[in-house]
Amino acid sequence: MYKKFDLEFAKYILLSVSNIGIYYVIFSCGVYISANYVLSVTIATLISFTINFIALKNIVFKKISRSNYSLFVRYLTAYFICYLVNLFLLKICSQFDVNIYVSGLLVLFPCALIGYLLTRFFVFTNTKDPSGHFKDVVDDKIT
């Protein structure tokens, strides 16, 4: 069980690092072009949301077979929570006159941790058998 979790977490970290890089480039370009961090966060979040959903579903948590609609709604909810936390932390940084580019880097790490916890335990969950142990679900059959 721990090896599966470790491999899953390692895959999540690798995907997250690349996704964070994409997010930060989009965020930084948006701030540079418009100087509006809310708009920049929104655009960067929408793009990274799409990339991350597809990658997490197919690469990291590939044994999950909840309906796509249910999975998408849960993922959207988790990402929206991360989005709000991101904006909240950026607002706090701006009140302390922290440079917006530095703030953008600082808030990525707590948001990534919250994102992992939400996707692992809220979005891409496994089902429990009657004894309370988690079972992997593949094509709606408990294995």
Side-chain angles (χ1 to χ4, degrees):
M1 168 121 183
Y2 289 111
K3 285 187 178 187
K4 178 184 176 205
F5 183 76
D6 291 342
L7 179 61
E8 183 179 273
F9 187 69
K11 286 179 183 179
Y12 182 87
I13 293 298
L14 288 173
L15 283 172
S16 292
V17 167
S18 61
N19 196 41
I20 285 171
I22 293 166
Y23 172 91
Y24 189 72
V25 167
I26 296 166
F27 167 77
S28 297
C29 289
V31 167
Y32 181 77
I33 292 168
S34 74
N36 181 338
Y37 74 88
V38 175
L39 179 62
S40 299
V41 167
T42 302
I43 292 168
T45 299
L46 290 172
I47 292 170
S48 67
F49 167 85
T50 305
I51 294 168
N52 217 23
F53 177 74
I54 293 166
L56 289 176
K57 183 174 188 268
N58 296 318
I59 297 171
V60 177
F61 303 108
K62 60 185 171 187
K63 288 191 175 184
I64 304 302
S65 86
R66 178 179 283 126
S67 76
N68 283 336
Y69 178 76
S70 171
L71 194 63
F72 183 77
V73 169
R74 284 175 171 259
Y75 191 74
L76 183 62
T77 302
Y79 233 80
F80 187 69
I81 291 168
C82 290
Y83 171 75
L84 293 177
V85 168
N86 193 341
L87 288 177
F88 175 73
L89 293 175
L90 285 174
K91 182 70 173 171
I92 289 173
C93 288
S94 73
Q95 290 176 343
F96 288 101
D97 293 327
V98 178
N99 178 289
I100 190 65
Y101 297 103
V102 174
S103 299
L105 281 174
L106 292 175
V107 304
L108 284 176
F109 299 104
C111 288
L113 178 61
I114 292 167
Y116 174 74
L117 294 173
L118 286 171
T119 54
R120 175 65 181 99
F121 297 107
F122 175 66
V123 179
F124 298 104
T125 58
N126 293 329
T127 59
K128 288 184 180 179
D129 66 12
S131 67
H133 295 94
F134 284 103
K135 296 283 188 177
D136 290 332
V137 178
V138 181
D139 299 325
D140 297 326
K141 296 177 186 169
I142 296 179
T143 58

